[in-house]
Amino acid sequence: MNHPMNGAGAVSGLGMTEMGRVYRSAIDLASEAVYLAIDDAGIDKSELDGLLINTGITRGLDLHLHVALGLQELNLLTFMQGYGSSAGQMIQYAAMAVANGLAKNVACVFADAPLVDGQRTGASYSGGRRFGGDALSSLHGLYGFTGAIPMFAMAAQRHMDLFGTTRDQLGQIAVSQRAWAGLNERATKREPITLSEYHDSPWVVEPFHVLDCCLVSNGAICVIVTSAEQARDGRQPPVYIRGFAQGHRHDTGQTVPDSAIRGPGSRSASRALAMANASLGEVTQCQLYDCYTYTVLVTLEDYGFCEKGEGGAFVEDGRLGPGGALPTNTGGGELSSYYMWGMTPISEAVIQGRGQAGERQSSNDLIICSGNGGMLNYHSTVVLSPETAS
Amino acid sequence: MSQSEDESWLPKPSSRTAPFFEAASEGKLRLQCCDDCGTWTFPYRERCQHCGSRSIVWRDASGRGTLYSHGLLRRAYHPRHEDRLPIVLAQVDVTEGVRLSTNLVDVEPGAVKVGMEVEVAFESLPDGGIIPVFRPVID
């Protein structure tokens, strides 16, 4: 039986600012993305009656974005925070809203501006030089747990120690995505890299090199969600929201679950595919949250593309890259293209779903997108397709 | 500013967290435990994560555990690390069922493996404070 939400909502508009070392405020960037998305969707600003807002590490946006945008007749307005799972979550709440008459056109926007002129790239994420605070919290910095890199590096190390996953296999994910980035004019890093160059890139926390870690980008992306009926009359080819789900847990304090190698993505993906009335084998491309190379590997396993522990072998033949059997992160992803949290996979999925990806266009029948927040703690899945539910 | 001049990063225990640091100065690992259901917890909580009880007490833990995972810190982000790299980052599953983020000391980085048996050890801070770390158990 068809799920009532399968294909009920669709993406009708996409707005993307320039991304990278763009020294503008998050509010300014977010506003531009919303205006670009409205224009892309072919609607008037007065038709925008829903706004969902999410911001990144510098918390440059809040509920008041609607003031900057001069929106006076909203039927839906919320500031949300699920870290890297937020973008997928916004799409989900927007789809439910348009399907149930709460709003007609919902803008889902993310913006952040962590890069500051004259400051090193990762400063906003590693907390700069601010240490201290509560005594037990201060231990984190004192031991060397600053930002997210140490926890993800250790997660990857556990996978390597338990399953024999190799540094070459992690590196192949970075190499494959950089090859995709070469085909994306929006990508920050487009020069191809070899496995040897990957191994030569500086260490951060072993087993992670710099090239295992995502970029840091300033910028904004807005997606407009409307009903399937209205999207068919839009300016752009509709991209239908076929399925979605979330999965959340924490990894704090207790020794259960085995949080480094199993995320909540398995629960999320299976329920999203069930809503889409589809099987994993029907997925033609993946847009996976890739804060680190390892995040891609563990998500592929959690989603069931291969058995737990076999992710390394699954990716090592270039399966994810251009010409591979499972095109993944076809815009270059967060590793090579731009880091707009969960909007990175969602935006590329919309471009692919419309068939507007140019040289990197891949089979787009069924696209699965993941969003990840925390140390594999907060997860969202969205299934998109240019085809409505059959 | 040198490390000795800037000590703003040193832990400043409050009445809530003092038992942890007092225990370290006595050469012990002390963690919170639920007096009702027996679930241990870290970091500081007012209520048991498992049963919801507010009867949380501090108890001495065994100080023994196994290595859940590890990484090798190669960049200094913290004033204490500038002359100490590389540092072995570790997650230790102590026998009481709590996973601690800590450091592994007295070990060659290449010899560190998931699952190895570890025990608590202690390091001094410039202000005389003591913090727990872990080291491999030598049979």
Side-chain angles (χ1 to χ4, degrees):
Chain A
M1 196 183 125
N2 199 33
H3 192 287
M5 283 306 303
N6 180 358
V11 174
S12 60
L14 175 66
M16 303 169 72
T17 66
E18 55 176 333
M19 293 171 286
R21 289 204 166 268
V22 187
Y23 301 121
R24 294 162 54 188
S25 73
I27 293 175
D28 182 42
L29 290 161
S31 301
E32 179 181 326
V34 172
Y35 282 116
L36 287 170
I38 289 170
D39 184 57
D40 185 62
I43 60 171
D44 189 82
K45 194 173 93 173
S46 62
E47 296 176 81
L48 191 67
D49 61 350
L51 181 64
L52 301 179
I53 305 160
N54 169 234
T55 191
I57 194 79
T58 60
R59 302 175 186 176
L61 297 184
D62 62 19
L63 191 64
H64 300 100
L65 178 63
H66 75 109
V67 180
L69 289 165
L71 297 170
Q72 297 280 19
E73 296 182 23
L74 291 172
N75 296 318
L76 189 75
L77 174 66
T78 301
F79 177 85
M80 296 175 44
Q81 191 52 275
Y83 305 111
S85 72
S86 311
Q89 289 193 34
M90 291 195 290
I91 302 287
Q92 302 180 13
Y93 297 123
M96 290 188 280
V98 298
N100 290 286
L102 268 77
K104 287 195 166 73
N105 296 290
V106 180
C108 308
V109 63
F110 169 89
D112 200 13
L115 294 170
V116 178
D117 200 3
Q119 189 174 289
R120 69 185 172 81
T121 302
S124 293
Y125 278 89
S126 59
R129 285 285 179 184
R130 297 185 305 279
F131 294 101
D134 163 67
L136 290 182
S137 304
S138 73
L139 287 177
H140 278 280
L142 213 152
Y143 288 132
F145 297 90
T146 312
I149 294 174
M151 295 303 281
F152 274 94
M154 288 194 298
Q157 187 65 55
R158 181 168 173 84
H159 202 279
M160 294 164 82
D161 281 16
L162 291 185
F163 302 120
T165 306
T166 67
R167 293 178 175 190
D168 274 355
Q169 290 168 339
L170 287 179
Q172 185 58 52
I173 294 171
V175 169
S176 293
Q177 291 196 199
R178 183 61 65 85
W180 281 119
L183 306 176
N184 183 1
E185 68 284 352
R186 287 188 185 275
T188 300
K189 304 270 188 189
R190 301 188 62 187
E191 287 295 308
I193 51 171
T194 62
L195 262 185
S196 164
E197 287 166 319
Y198 163 83
H199 289 302
D200 288 343
S201 96
W203 291 115
V204 188
V205 177
E206 288 187 43
F208 280 177
H209 296 274
V210 167
L211 288 175
D212 286 290
C213 307
C214 66
L215 303 167
V216 178
S217 314
N218 292 1
I221 295 179
C222 176
V223 166
I224 294 179
V225 172
T226 189
S227 67
E229 296 72 32
Q230 192 177 320
R232 279 190 273 276
D233 298 330
R235 181 175 286 171
Q236 294 284 355
V239 178
Y240 297 100
I241 300 164
R242 297 284 306 276
F244 51 80
Q246 301 172 29
H248 309 286
R249 62 110 192 264
H250 74 86
D251 70 318
T252 305
Q254 307 301 318
T255 55
V256 176
D258 197 347
S259 52
I261 59 163
R262 291 178 196 278
S266 52
R267 233 163 8 108
S268 182
S270 59
R271 286 157 55 236
L273 285 166
M275 183 186 286
N277 196 26
S279 66
L280 200 64
E282 294 172 76
V283 171
T284 54
Q285 61 169 273
C286 297
Q287 306 297 341
L288 304 180
Y289 198 91
D290 56 327
C291 45
Y292 304 98
T293 49
Y294 175 68
T295 320
V296 175
L297 187 149
V298 76
T299 304
L300 287 166
E301 291 179 350
D302 285 342
Y303 277 19
F305 286 101
C306 59
E307 292 296 314
K308 183 54 66 184
E310 294 177 2
F314 187 78
V315 304
E316 73 181 341
D317 66 349
R319 186 191 303 260
L320 309 184
L326 187 65
T328 295
N329 296 345
T330 53
E334 297 167 343
L335 295 174
S336 285
S337 190
Y338 48 86
Y339 185 47
M340 291 287 109
W341 284 19
M343 277 298 180
T344 301
I346 293 286
S347 57
E348 178 65 10
V350 171
I351 294 166
Q352 288 277 345
R354 289 174 173 182
Q356 296 173 349
E359 280 185 275
R360 65 182 196 279
Q361 183 65 47
S362 303
S363 174
N364 64 2
D365 296 353
L366 204 65
I367 306 168
I368 198 162
C369 307
S370 73
N372 167 74
M375 180 35 232
L376 305 177
N377 292 329
Y378 312 108
H379 197 99
S380 61
T381 308
V382 177
V383 179
L384 298 174
S385 173
E387 303 298 327
T388 191
S390 50
Chain B
M1 189 181 290
S2 75
Q3 180 176 312
S4 56
E5 289 165 335
D6 176 15
E7 297 191 343
S8 60
W9 52 268
L10 288 164
K12 295 167 192 63
S14 65
S15 57
R16 290 179 164 190
T17 57
F20 180 86
F21 293 95
E22 287 166 7
S25 67
E26 298 163 15
K28 288 174 179 162
L29 179 67
R30 195 168 292 157
L31 303 171
Q32 284 181 296
C33 181
C34 176
D35 211 22
D36 285 332
C37 78
T39 301
W40 293 71
T41 188
F42 188 86
Y44 182 84
R45 274 173 224 295
E46 297 180 311
R47 197 177 278 275
C48 175
Q49 277 177 300
H50 180 66
C51 74
S53 166
R54 295 185 79 251
S55 301
I56 301 275
V57 295
W58 287 90
R59 280 192 191 143
D60 289 349
S62 66
R64 296 286 291 246
T66 58
L67 189 68
Y68 179 73
S69 196
H70 58 102
L72 194 60
L73 183 68
R74 300 286 296 258
R75 286 189 177 192
Y77 294 104
H78 190 284
R80 183 171 183 248
H81 298 156
E82 278 158 14
D83 303 318
R84 298 162 57 105
L85 296 177
I87 291 168
V88 179
L89 306 179
Q91 286 173 290
V92 169
D93 285 359
V94 296
T95 53
E96 288 78 11
V98 175
R99 184 166 297 151
L100 300 177
S101 297
T102 183
N103 292 145
L104 198 62
V105 301
D106 299 338
V107 65
E108 281 300 313
V112 180
K113 285 279 177 265
V114 162
M116 67 195 295
E117 298 293 313
V118 297
E119 63 185 6
V120 72
F122 297 91
E123 282 187 347
S124 301
L125 300 176
D127 66 347
I130 306 285
I131 57 166
V133 293
F134 282 78
R135 66 184 173 208
V137 172
I138 311 295
D139 291 324

